[in-house]
Amino acid sequence: MMPSVLDPARLTDPGFHADDSVHAVWRALREHDPMHWHEPTRYPGFWSLTRYEDVRAVSRDARVFSSAQGILLRPTAHGADVGGGRTLALTDPPRHKALRNLVADWFTTRSVRALEESMREAVRNVLAYAIELEECDFVTEVAARLPLYVICRLMGVPDKEQELLFSLTKLAFAAGEPETRGAAHLQIMQYFTELMYQRMDSPADDLVSALVMGQIGGELLTEEEVLLNCDNLLVGGTENVRLAVSSGLRVFLDHPDDWERLRTERELLPTAVEEVLRFTSSATHVMRTVTEPVLLRDQRLDAGDRVVLWIPSANRDERVFTDPDRFDITRTPNRHLALGAGAHFCLGGMLARAEMRIFFSELLDMVKTVEQTGPAVPVESIVVNGLEHLPVRLRAR
């Protein structure tokens, strides 16, 4: 039996995810109760999966384990997710594949390579600005800017309007008052409503136009579907990279020898990026809903049952990763699940890797020292894992 001091019920407490003690619960669950039932509370009842093989298997079976009814635990009082069945993240094949095909060309190897030089320039500009400051918040002022620049460019947001979206996303993704976040998010949706109508009149070579003009089964997407998918792309294209880059810097501050090694062994950057993704795991959980009776670990699940996949736990599974709690920039193979698996493998995974590689490479080139000037403030969330604030001082080389 699992030791009683490690209470799995705490996994639904956002504050519990704000430090590494949550890993002790996941470790105990992997060992003693890899498929744990959580009784209904403010959340509906659900099964927790914590082992790599189970998380991967469920992620790859979109027929039995559906995303269309929501991919995140939501308090019962909040009702169903409005995007259910209508966005990339909240659809199942074949509609998911059809939606994905509308925008996939912007995330190919060729497209990512075409963006590399402009991404480098954007990082250099951000770092030059940060170096001039006496102190900055690395999360909000540095790490957040590159992914927002990239997704805005792909979505056709004019350069002169990107600063507006940067300001709004800072408020919308912050951990401040819900009313403030909600108001900022509403303004973001209003912005994309206007952009959507512009693209209806004058299509361009961008993601918004692809959504506006694209057809599934001979029918255009509804206006609400276009807007929901714009929101999906904006959040997916910014939040995870912001969290991964800032958490990655925090890890390197704790492992300065690895950071200095990267200065002279740049060929390790790709494996270092993969290890940052595994070790920090910015997505804390995803949820699936059972569509038909199925046996999982000899447990019968019925249609409508919810299964929660704890990604950081899967990425620290001792059965798959040697010494999983050790940060190792040379780790290979590194088949982590930080970017998902199966039909819902992250559409922008290749782009996210390129952004992280370029960001760390330019940081090594331009910055001699990174001094943490205050406490890192973790996000308190059961949805994402990372930092809310990281005050630093960057010294130029």
Side-chain angles (χ1 to χ4, degrees):
M1 293 180 62
M2 193 170 73
S4 59
V5 294
L6 302 174
D7 182 7
R10 301 186 69 190
L11 290 176
T12 59
D13 174 9
F16 185 55
H17 291 265
D19 64 59
D20 286 341
S21 60
V22 66
H23 282 285
V25 173
W26 282 325
R27 191 180 306 115
L29 284 172
R30 289 196 301 269
E31 181 64 27
H32 301 286
D33 193 5
M35 187 171 173
H36 178 80
W37 172 249
H38 295 254
E39 293 291 341
T41 53
R42 61 189 295 255
Y43 296 100
F46 64 93
W47 294 95
S48 268
L49 293 182
T50 47
R51 287 188 183 176
Y52 180 97
E53 62 177 316
D54 298 327
V55 170
R56 184 174 183 270
V58 168
S59 298
R60 291 168 61 88
D61 189 350
R63 183 182 65 82
V64 176
F65 299 98
S66 169
S67 301
Q69 297 179 53
I71 61 168
L72 299 174
L73 271 175
R74 291 166 59 87
T76 303
H78 289 186
D81 193 314
V82 296
R86 296 191 284 181
T87 69
L88 272 167
L90 276 72
T91 46
D92 299 320
R95 187 168 182 82
H96 172 78
K97 184 177 181 180
L99 270 174
R100 194 177 178 107
N101 287 343
L102 293 181
V103 297
D105 285 349
W106 278 265
F107 300 96
T108 62
T109 302
R110 181 178 179 181
S111 296
V112 171
R113 285 177 179 166
L115 281 170
E116 285 207 6
E117 190 51 44
S118 64
M119 286 194 286
R120 287 192 183 279
E121 183 180 356
V123 173
R124 290 171 188 148
N125 290 338
V126 170
L127 290 177
Y129 169 73
I131 288 169
E132 289 180 2
L133 300 176
E134 184 65 22
E135 182 180 306
C136 69
D137 185 336
F138 190 83
V139 180
T140 60
E141 294 297 332
V142 182
R145 284 188 175 270
L146 174 62
L148 183 68
Y149 162 79
V150 171
I151 199 63
C152 281
R153 177 166 177 169
L154 294 178
M155 297 181 81
V157 176
D159 290 349
K160 63 182 179 180
E161 296 173 7
Q162 289 180 13
E163 196 63 31
L164 168 64
L165 278 182
F166 177 70
S167 300
L168 291 175
T169 54
K170 279 177 65 177
L171 293 173
F173 297 160
E177 293 298 321
E179 295 79 7
T180 302
R181 298 199 308 270
H185 196 223
L186 180 60
Q187 286 182 265
I188 291 172
M189 296 302 284
Q190 288 171 340
Y191 176 86
F192 280 107
T193 298
E194 294 177 10
L195 186 58
M196 175 184 68
Y197 287 134
Q198 291 174 21
R199 293 300 183 261
M200 286 179 178
D201 293 334
S202 302
D205 185 20
D206 58 44
L207 286 171
V208 176
S209 298
L211 291 170
V212 166
M213 305 305 295
Q215 297 185 21
I216 296 179
E219 295 185 358
L220 295 169
L221 302 184
T222 66
E223 292 182 5
E224 189 173 15
E225 286 174 326
V226 171
L227 289 174
L228 287 170
N229 279 286
C230 285
D231 187 53
N232 194 179
L233 288 167
L234 180 69
V235 174
T238 56
E239 190 169 26
N240 286 333
V241 173
R242 171 177 60 87
L243 291 167
V245 166
S246 52
S247 294
L249 180 65
R250 171 70 185 279
V251 173
F252 282 122
L253 288 173
D254 292 337
H255 298 80
D257 291 345
D258 287 327
W259 186 244
E260 290 306 313
R261 184 178 180 183
L262 284 178
R263 286 195 190 277
T264 56
E265 298 181 53
R266 297 300 177 89
E267 67 275 10
L268 291 178
L269 268 172
T271 54
V273 164
E274 296 303 323
E275 183 67 345
V276 168
L277 287 168
R278 181 197 74 87
F279 196 77
T280 64
S281 294
S282 59
T284 304
H285 85 267
V286 292
M287 187 182 73
R288 298 291 185 260
T289 301
V290 177
T291 61
E292 62 184 49
V294 64
L295 280 179
L296 186 60
R297 287 201 162 270
D298 297 324
Q299 172 66 49
R300 176 187 166 93
L301 303 182
D302 293 317
D305 285 354
R306 295 171 179 83
V307 179
V308 169
L309 316 177
W310 297 104
I311 308 302
S313 176
N315 284 341
R316 301 279 185 105
D317 191 339
E318 303 83 355
R319 295 153 193 80
V320 177
F321 301 99
T322 302
D323 199 3
D325 294 324
R326 180 170 63 90
F327 181 70
D328 180 4
I329 62 173
T330 67
R331 186 182 296 275
T332 183
N334 193 347
R335 301 186 181 93
H336 61 78
L337 299 175
L339 299 175
H344 282 274
F345 179 80
C346 180
L347 174 67
M350 191 181 307
L351 180 60
R353 287 179 165 113
E355 290 179 66
M356 293 174 66
R357 175 175 48 80
I358 289 169
F359 202 106
F360 289 132
S361 177
E362 294 300 323
L363 190 62
L364 286 162
D365 283 344
M366 294 182 63
V367 174
K368 182 178 182 180
T369 61
V370 180
E371 176 189 352
Q372 187 172 332
T373 57
V377 179
V379 174
E380 293 191 5
S381 170
I382 67 170
V383 176
V384 294
N385 174 52
L387 298 176
E388 196 72 44
H389 300 289
L390 180 62
V392 298
R393 183 178 293 112
L394 306 181
R395 301 293 191 190
R397 289 185 65 78

